[in-house]
Amino acid sequence: MENKKILTVGIAAYNASTTLTHTLKSLLLSEILNKIEVIIVNDGSTDDTQKIAEKYVLKYPHTVRLINKKNGGHGSVINKLIQTANTPYLKLVDADDTVEKKGFVSLINCLENCQADVVLSPFYLANLKNNKKIEKGYLINNKKNFEDNKICVFKDYYKKLDPALHSITYKTELLRKSDFKVDEHCFYEDTEYALYYFLYAKSILMLDKPVYCYWIGNDGQSVNIENRLNRRNQALNIVLNMISFYENNKENMDRYKKIFYMNHISALIGFSYELLMALPSEKIAKSESKKFDTKVRKISPEIYQYFGNGDMGGRKIAKIIKLFRITNWNGYFIVYKALNSSMVNRIKMV
């Protein structure tokens, strides 16, 4: 008798013919095949992504499904997967990333007896050029950056949580009941996915084994600094969306959720100013920073005033921006000249 499947792994695949096989091989482990479903969403690829996916559907008909759709961006894939997942839990894996066998099997075994709204696990940041792996956690102000198989309530960790798409496994029911949709046809919407759905999350299972392996070093990735700068308007819009999300939902938040969201949004705002300060033109950097600052104030005077008071860093840039606000942005050129190089290096490291 086939065991009940517990986890849906959703794969966002766009022109992923060179990496999809590697991703699938890491997932399709014999010891857990009957416990997972893998949904490959082919987001309008023009290469052999569909053909590769079809081979795996034929080979693993009880585990692998393929959905072909018009290109709508990573966010559209996330929204589609939330609608179509057939198991209690959903984890997203990009078609150029992999999972770690030990951590992945352990995750699935834990999920079989899990009722938590969110499951968090460490992940690896791995470099394609030298295969070096760095372990990343999901907590701040914590020596290990993760906990050892611990169930907690949100209010006990609201100031420590630092979730990312790579560390998150959501309860599918939570995603559907929340009824939020992340932005489509844009990049950096993973920030929305990592934060929106915590609004109604109460219980969290924290694991200690890395599950996800996030491969970086590809010049075409959205986190590449040139791409970040070229797509900065999309990144800034995501931050503005997060501010609007807070304003639209703060009446449904207790004080723990309010502080959680204000801290994260404050950090996102700070990174936005740093990103703009990494631009090669001081004139453009100043102009766009002023416009962004005006939009933040218009959407949420509360967040505008709170900026820099959170526990997630960014206080240095916040002090600078608050001084600019007082002086009508006089002196930006001097600060830009002093910090531009360091901001470029910082963005490269993120």
PDB file of all heavy atoms in Angstrom, residues 277-278 316-317 320 334-344:
ATOM      1  N   MET A 277      22.865  53.495  -3.953  1.00  0.00           N
ATOM      2  CA  MET A 277      24.164  54.137  -3.765  1.00  0.00           C
ATOM      3  C   MET A 277      25.281  53.383  -4.483  1.00  0.00           C
ATOM      4  O   MET A 277      26.390  53.891  -4.640  1.00  0.00           O
ATOM      5  CB  MET A 277      24.480  54.279  -2.278  1.00  0.00           C
ATOM      6  CG  MET A 277      25.504  55.364  -1.975  1.00  0.00           C
ATOM      7  SD  MET A 277      25.664  55.724  -0.199  1.00  0.00           S
ATOM      8  CE  MET A 277      24.200  56.733   0.056  1.00  0.00           C
ATOM      9  N   ALA A 278      24.996  52.166  -4.940  1.00  0.00           N
ATOM     10  CA  ALA A 278      25.971  51.389  -5.708  1.00  0.00           C
ATOM     11  C   ALA A 278      25.913  51.707  -7.202  1.00  0.00           C
ATOM     12  O   ALA A 278      26.723  51.196  -7.982  1.00  0.00           O
ATOM     13  CB  ALA A 278      25.733  49.891  -5.493  1.00  0.00           C
ATOM     14  N   LYS A 316      23.314  52.123  10.108  1.00  0.00           N
ATOM     15  CA  LYS A 316      24.247  53.110   9.574  1.00  0.00           C
ATOM     16  C   LYS A 316      23.636  53.861   8.399  1.00  0.00           C
ATOM     17  O   LYS A 316      23.644  55.100   8.363  1.00  0.00           O
ATOM     18  CB  LYS A 316      25.545  52.427   9.141  1.00  0.00           C
ATOM     19  CG  LYS A 316      26.580  53.382   8.560  1.00  0.00           C
ATOM     20  CD  LYS A 316      27.845  52.646   8.158  1.00  0.00           C
ATOM     21  CE  LYS A 316      28.854  53.611   7.532  1.00  0.00           C
ATOM     22  NZ  LYS A 316      30.106  52.921   7.119  1.00  0.00           N
ATOM     23  N   ILE A 317      23.098  53.114   7.436  1.00  0.00           N
ATOM     24  CA  ILE A 317      22.495  53.773   6.274  1.00  0.00           C
ATOM     25  C   ILE A 317      21.251  54.551   6.692  1.00  0.00           C
ATOM     26  O   ILE A 317      20.940  55.609   6.128  1.00  0.00           O
ATOM     27  CB  ILE A 317      22.160  52.738   5.161  1.00  0.00           C
ATOM     28  CG1 ILE A 317      21.791  53.464   3.855  1.00  0.00           C
ATOM     29  CG2 ILE A 317      21.050  51.802   5.577  1.00  0.00           C
ATOM     30  CD1 ILE A 317      22.943  54.172   3.210  1.00  0.00           C
ATOM     31  N   ILE A 320      22.219  57.959   7.913  1.00  0.00           N
ATOM     32  CA  ILE A 320      22.592  58.812   6.784  1.00  0.00           C
ATOM     33  C   ILE A 320      21.349  59.339   6.072  1.00  0.00           C
ATOM     34  O   ILE A 320      21.232  60.537   5.783  1.00  0.00           O
ATOM     35  CB  ILE A 320      23.489  58.039   5.808  1.00  0.00           C
ATOM     36  CG1 ILE A 320      24.829  57.696   6.471  1.00  0.00           C
ATOM     37  CG2 ILE A 320      23.714  58.823   4.517  1.00  0.00           C
ATOM     38  CD1 ILE A 320      25.697  56.747   5.669  1.00  0.00           C
ATOM     39  N   ILE A 334      28.977  63.951  -1.458  1.00  0.00           N
ATOM     40  CA  ILE A 334      30.119  63.626  -0.598  1.00  0.00           C
ATOM     41  C   ILE A 334      29.986  62.211  -0.040  1.00  0.00           C
ATOM     42  O   ILE A 334      30.929  61.414  -0.056  1.00  0.00           O
ATOM     43  CB  ILE A 334      30.231  64.652   0.551  1.00  0.00           C
ATOM     44  CG1 ILE A 334      30.509  66.038  -0.010  1.00  0.00           C
ATOM     45  CG2 ILE A 334      31.322  64.246   1.534  1.00  0.00           C
ATOM     46  CD1 ILE A 334      30.443  67.145   1.025  1.00  0.00           C
ATOM     47  N   VAL A 335      28.792  61.898   0.459  1.00  0.00           N
ATOM     48  CA  VAL A 335      28.557  60.560   1.018  1.00  0.00           C
ATOM     49  C   VAL A 335      28.659  59.495  -0.064  1.00  0.00           C
ATOM     50  O   VAL A 335      29.241  58.423   0.146  1.00  0.00           O
ATOM     51  CB  VAL A 335      27.179  60.506   1.712  1.00  0.00           C
ATOM     52  CG1 VAL A 335      26.879  59.092   2.204  1.00  0.00           C
ATOM     53  CG2 VAL A 335      27.126  61.493   2.862  1.00  0.00           C
ATOM     54  N   TYR A 336      28.103  59.799  -1.238  1.00  0.00           N
ATOM     55  CA  TYR A 336      28.161  58.859  -2.357  1.00  0.00           C
ATOM     56  C   TYR A 336      29.611  58.540  -2.720  1.00  0.00           C
ATOM     57  O   TYR A 336      29.971  57.375  -2.909  1.00  0.00           O
ATOM     58  CB  TYR A 336      27.427  59.450  -3.560  1.00  0.00           C
ATOM     59  CG  TYR A 336      27.590  58.654  -4.845  1.00  0.00           C
ATOM     60  CD1 TYR A 336      26.740  57.591  -5.138  1.00  0.00           C
ATOM     61  CD2 TYR A 336      28.588  58.975  -5.770  1.00  0.00           C
ATOM     62  CE1 TYR A 336      26.885  56.863  -6.308  1.00  0.00           C
ATOM     63  CE2 TYR A 336      28.739  58.252  -6.931  1.00  0.00           C
ATOM     64  CZ  TYR A 336      27.892  57.200  -7.199  1.00  0.00           C
ATOM     65  OH  TYR A 336      28.051  56.478  -8.354  1.00  0.00           O
ATOM     66  N   LYS A 337      30.434  59.542  -2.827  1.00  0.00           N
ATOM     67  CA  LYS A 337      31.843  59.340  -3.177  1.00  0.00           C
ATOM     68  C   LYS A 337      32.553  58.486  -2.133  1.00  0.00           C
ATOM     69  O   LYS A 337      33.415  57.670  -2.449  1.00  0.00           O
ATOM     70  CB  LYS A 337      32.552  60.688  -3.317  1.00  0.00           C
ATOM     71  CG  LYS A 337      32.239  61.425  -4.602  1.00  0.00           C
ATOM     72  CD  LYS A 337      32.742  60.652  -5.814  1.00  0.00           C
ATOM     73  CE  LYS A 337      32.519  61.428  -7.107  1.00  0.00           C
ATOM     74  NZ  LYS A 337      32.939  60.644  -8.301  1.00  0.00           N
ATOM     75  N   ALA A 338      32.182  58.673  -0.877  1.00  0.00           N
ATOM     76  CA  ALA A 338      32.830  57.942   0.215  1.00  0.00           C
ATOM     77  C   ALA A 338      32.366  56.490   0.295  1.00  0.00           C
ATOM     78  O   ALA A 338      33.148  55.610   0.676  1.00  0.00           O
ATOM     79  CB  ALA A 338      32.567  58.648   1.541  1.00  0.00           C
ATOM     80  N   LEU A 339      31.113  56.233  -0.079  1.00  0.00           N
ATOM     81  CA  LEU A 339      30.531  54.905   0.161  1.00  0.00           C
ATOM     82  C   LEU A 339      30.269  54.079  -1.086  1.00  0.00           C
ATOM     83  O   LEU A 339      29.969  52.890  -0.979  1.00  0.00           O
ATOM     84  CB  LEU A 339      29.219  55.054   0.943  1.00  0.00           C
ATOM     85  CG  LEU A 339      29.317  55.632   2.354  1.00  0.00           C
ATOM     86  CD1 LEU A 339      27.937  55.676   2.992  1.00  0.00           C
ATOM     87  CD2 LEU A 339      30.266  54.812   3.207  1.00  0.00           C
ATOM     88  N   ASN A 340      30.337  54.665  -2.266  1.00  0.00           N
ATOM     89  CA  ASN A 340      29.964  53.944  -3.480  1.00  0.00           C
ATOM     90  C   ASN A 340      30.706  52.612  -3.624  1.00  0.00           C
ATOM     91  O   ASN A 340      30.092  51.561  -3.871  1.00  0.00           O
ATOM     92  CB  ASN A 340      30.193  54.817  -4.710  1.00  0.00           C
ATOM     93  CG  ASN A 340      29.967  54.076  -6.017  1.00  0.00           C
ATOM     94  OD1 ASN A 340      30.921  53.689  -6.688  1.00  0.00           O
ATOM     95  ND2 ASN A 340      28.709  53.863  -6.380  1.00  0.00           N
ATOM     96  N   SER A 341      32.006  52.613  -3.480  1.00  0.00           N
ATOM     97  CA  SER A 341      32.796  51.383  -3.648  1.00  0.00           C
ATOM     98  C   SER A 341      32.409  50.314  -2.633  1.00  0.00           C
ATOM     99  O   SER A 341      32.261  49.132  -2.975  1.00  0.00           O
ATOM    100  CB  SER A 341      34.289  51.691  -3.525  1.00  0.00           C
ATOM    101  OG  SER A 341      34.717  52.514  -4.577  1.00  0.00           O
ATOM    102  N   SER A 342      32.236  50.729  -1.370  1.00  0.00           N
ATOM    103  CA  SER A 342      31.870  49.760  -0.342  1.00  0.00           C
ATOM    104  C   SER A 342      30.460  49.214  -0.568  1.00  0.00           C
ATOM    105  O   SER A 342      30.189  48.043  -0.300  1.00  0.00           O
ATOM    106  CB  SER A 342      31.961  50.393   1.054  1.00  0.00           C
ATOM    107  OG  SER A 342      31.065  51.480   1.187  1.00  0.00           O
ATOM    108  N   MET A 343      29.552  50.036  -1.110  1.00  0.00           N
ATOM    109  CA  MET A 343      28.203  49.567  -1.406  1.00  0.00           C
ATOM    110  C   MET A 343      28.229  48.575  -2.570  1.00  0.00           C
ATOM    111  O   MET A 343      27.502  47.581  -2.554  1.00  0.00           O
ATOM    112  CB  MET A 343      27.287  50.750  -1.737  1.00  0.00           C
ATOM    113  CG  MET A 343      26.987  51.653  -0.556  1.00  0.00           C
ATOM    114  SD  MET A 343      26.293  50.730   0.841  1.00  0.00           S
ATOM    115  CE  MET A 343      26.197  52.042   2.079  1.00  0.00           C
ATOM    116  N   VAL A 344      29.058  48.836  -3.565  1.00  0.00           N
ATOM    117  CA  VAL A 344      29.210  47.892  -4.672  1.00  0.00           C
ATOM    118  C   VAL A 344      29.676  46.552  -4.147  1.00  0.00           C
ATOM    119  O   VAL A 344      29.142  45.482  -4.499  1.00  0.00           O
ATOM    120  CB  VAL A 344      30.192  48.433  -5.733  1.00  0.00           C
ATOM    121  CG1 VAL A 344      30.545  47.332  -6.734  1.00  0.00           C
ATOM    122  CG2 VAL A 344      29.585  49.638  -6.449  1.00  0.00           C
TER     123      VAL A 344
END
